[in-house]
Amino acid sequence: MSQKNNQKFNGFDYVKSSGGIEEYVLLKNDLKVLVLEDHSAPVATFMVTYKVGSRNEAIGYTGATHLLEHLMFKGSRNFNKEKNTAIWTQLQNIGAQINATTWNDRTNYFEVVPSEHLERAIAIESDRMRYAFLRDEDRQPEMTVVRNEFERGENSPFDVLDKNIWATAYQAHPYHHSTIGWRSDIENVSTERLKEFYNTYYWPNNAVATAIGDFNKKDTLSLINKYFSEHTKSKNPIPGVYTEEPIQEGPRRTIVKRAGQTEIVGVAHKTPQGRHKNTYAFQLIGKILADGKTSRLNRLIIDKGLATSIFIYDFPFLDNGLFITYIFLTPGTEHAKVEEIILKEYNNIISNGVSAEELKRAKAQMRATVAFSRDGTYAVASALNEAIAIGDWTFYTTFMDNIKTVTNKMIKDTAKKCLVEDQSTTGWFVAVETTT
């Protein structure tokens, strides 16, 4: 089909294509749609990504996006227990996988279904986009479920340290609080406040529908048009987030002392927006530092018996993020000693860059990581979901091309700009004995 013929295809305007994926916009309400036919297996994934996450929350209703995600499964106009058409029943009876997730910049709802049942998934997502019940009698038990999730996180040394590092690194920007929110907000946010949040952000012009799998594109776009065109665009503009994090003017530290069996060091540095070219350099720096037994920190820390494992956090976000090296210490290892090794290796990269062999190996590791992570319709939709969240779905299709362009100079320049003391936040988790 030519671009000319695509332009008003089934009530859509054709926008662009990249990596075999085509983007359309539904003329009725500006819903963006991504489609990719994949006939390798008789399944299809349908996912709706809303461009709203914990960055859109504020004091008093942190965690609202996540709690609302839970309520979205409790029934809508056409899919509910009263009609014996509850969402879980409708989908699990046909062997579908169904879930939703919330993060800083987005919320997504998805179904993986036998291809012949794709219409049902599309109908469900359209119905709850604007007709979710959001009842107070459902909020109460779901609040308890979410609070239990919060408490499980509080019992994890890593989760607790990570939450405190982000809260210390970001003071103004809403990345300050975690997606789960603060306990008091989880317990006390009202159903009316959640409805207000829903009616602000859950609109077709703030969403992207992704369909990937064993189907005919024309038929699938026709179904999306059939169900989603009943919705109008939002009456008011979707509110943006205009709060910017002030420039950090010195190193920050946080120490968490709590019962636990694992002690941890986390060294974080602020990174640019996810679409910035430095993102690709950071992806490879992470590989060079910690991926595999020959990586730098594995040789310097793991092989020396100072730690049991290493984790590099380098996930890109819509706004600025954090590059964090987490080291899980062996008993008796001093936090300061490991922190010194991390910073010394950062300075080594700033001064000397990386070797040609390290860069070549890191790119090969990234190719393998990407290939394994994109196997299957859900995996592709999930990766597209994260690219949508940072503001450009073609981040997914162009990622490896951009990785290939990274040079030693780019890595040195990125490290020199970002891995500096004044942009750092260091966290220690110190295990203490509980008193009885």
Side-chain angles (χ1 to χ4, degrees):
M1 184 180 296
S2 69
Q3 179 172 331
K4 181 178 179 180
N5 290 333
N6 270 331
Q7 289 186 348
K8 293 211 174 163
F9 182 59
N10 286 344
F12 294 87
D13 263 351
Y14 170 82
V15 180
K16 61 187 176 187
S17 63
S18 177
I21 299 165
E22 295 181 355
E23 178 186 351
Y24 296 85
V25 61
L26 186 57
L27 296 172
K28 176 69 181 295
N29 53 33
D30 289 348
L31 173 71
K32 290 183 179 180
V33 179
L34 304 180
V35 291
L36 174 65
E37 291 187 23
D38 177 0
H39 302 289
S40 59
V43 297
T45 294
F46 188 70
M47 181 178 293
V48 176
T49 302
Y50 292 92
K51 291 181 278 187
V52 57
S54 54
R55 75 188 284 273
N56 301 94
E57 301 164 354
I59 293 171
Y61 58 98
T62 64
T65 322
H66 180 234
L67 183 52
L68 181 58
E69 171 213 311
H70 280 243
L71 290 179
M72 292 286 283
F73 286 90
K74 306 306 289 186
S76 60
R77 175 190 58 183
N78 294 323
F79 298 95
N80 54 70
K81 290 181 179 178
E82 291 77 9
K83 293 183 177 181
N84 199 30
T85 57
I87 292 172
W88 290 103
T89 303
Q90 287 284 301
L91 290 168
Q92 289 180 336
N93 284 350
I94 60 171
Q97 297 176 14
I98 174 176
N99 213 330
T101 68
T102 306
W103 211 1
N104 290 357
D105 303 313
R106 55 77 183 157
T107 309
N108 70 321
Y109 301 82
F110 62 88
E111 296 82 19
V112 183
V113 297
S115 300
E116 65 269 24
H117 296 294
L118 179 58
E119 180 173 2
R120 192 175 307 186
I122 293 171
I124 286 170
E125 292 306 337
S126 173
D127 202 56
R128 64 177 167 182
M129 174 178 275
R130 292 303 315 140
Y131 299 109
F133 285 158
L134 306 182
R135 297 173 294 204
D136 193 58
E137 58 264 34
D138 293 323
R139 181 190 65 83
Q140 296 289 347
E142 288 305 314
M143 180 277 291
T144 303
V145 173
V146 172
R147 185 173 59 192
N148 288 341
E149 287 185 47
F150 174 89
E151 290 172 349
R152 286 197 299 272
E154 290 294 290
N155 291 325
S156 163
F158 170 75
D159 287 351
V160 169
L161 181 60
D162 186 65
K163 180 171 68 174
N164 277 274
I165 285 177
W166 280 89
T168 304
Y170 282 94
Q171 298 182 344
H173 192 279
Y175 287 167
H176 169 86
H177 66 268
S178 66
T179 300
I180 195 80
W182 301 116
R183 182 196 295 268
S184 55
D185 289 349
I186 295 168
E187 293 176 335
N188 294 296
V189 66
S190 68
T191 305
E192 288 306 310
R193 187 67 186 84
L194 294 175
K195 286 181 179 179
E196 181 183 342
F197 200 78
Y198 172 77
N199 286 321
T200 299
Y201 294 104
Y202 276 66
W203 294 92
N205 52 305
N206 196 44
V208 180
T210 300
I212 298 174
D214 184 28
F215 53 71
N216 175 275
K217 177 182 66 176
K218 178 181 178 181
D219 294 342
T220 297
L221 286 173
S222 179
L223 289 172
I224 293 171
N225 187 12
K226 172 184 175 180
Y227 288 99
F228 281 90
S229 63
E230 73 165 308
H231 306 311
T232 64
K233 291 190 286 189
S234 59
K235 296 178 182 179
N236 300 307
I238 304 296
V241 175
Y242 49 79
T243 302
E244 296 181 3
E245 183 68 19
I247 295 174
Q248 188 173 330
E249 297 176 312
R252 298 173 183 168
R253 303 189 71 87
T254 180
I255 298 177
V256 180
K257 294 183 178 181
R258 194 178 289 193
Q261 296 181 339
T262 303
E263 298 203 305
I264 309 170
V265 171
V267 178
H269 289 79
K270 287 194 172 73
T271 57
Q273 296 175 340
R275 287 172 287 170
H276 193 281
K277 64 180 181 179
N278 285 350
T279 291
Y280 306 102
F282 270 120
Q283 295 289 305
L284 294 177
I285 290 172
K287 294 288 186 186
I288 291 165
L289 287 172
D291 193 339
K293 292 185 177 297
T294 60
S295 62
R296 293 189 177 193
L297 293 180
N298 267 273
R299 288 186 285 106
L300 292 168
I301 297 175
I302 301 293
D303 289 354
K304 300 291 178 62
L306 301 175
T308 58
S309 61
I310 299 172
F311 171 60
I312 299 279
Y313 185 102
D314 53 7
F315 202 88
F317 290 118
L318 180 61
D319 299 325
N320 302 70
L322 289 176
F323 180 87
I324 316 176
T325 296
Y326 284 107
I327 310 292
F328 298 80
L329 308 180
T330 51
T333 298
E334 295 179 359
H335 293 73
K337 182 176 182 178
V338 169
E339 180 185 333
E340 182 182 0
I341 294 172
I342 296 169
L343 295 176
K344 184 177 179 180
E345 209 50 45
Y346 286 1
N347 289 327
N348 189 4
I349 294 176
I350 291 170
S351 300
N352 304 309
V354 299
S355 70
E357 182 60 32
E358 283 180 312
L359 186 55
K360 180 180 178 181
R361 182 170 59 246
K363 290 182 179 182
Q365 290 170 325
M366 186 61 72
R367 279 196 302 273
T369 298
V370 168
F372 288 132
S373 68
R374 297 182 177 186
D375 184 19
T377 62
Y378 169 72
V380 174
S382 181
L384 277 170
N385 169 64
E386 304 305 347
I388 292 164
I390 67 171
D392 182 5
W393 67 266
T394 65
F395 178 87
Y396 167 84
T397 56
T398 61
F399 180 79
M400 280 309 304
D401 288 337
N402 284 302
I403 286 291
K404 291 175 184 177
T405 67
V406 176
T407 63
N408 181 35
K409 184 178 185 303
M410 290 173 64
I411 285 179
K412 281 184 68 174
D413 289 347
T414 298
K416 186 176 181 179
K417 179 180 179 181
C418 300
L419 298 180
V420 294
E421 184 182 41
D422 285 351
Q423 294 299 306
S424 70
T425 301
T426 302
W428 292 2
F429 184 92
V430 178
V432 297
E433 294 185 6
T434 56
T435 57
T436 57

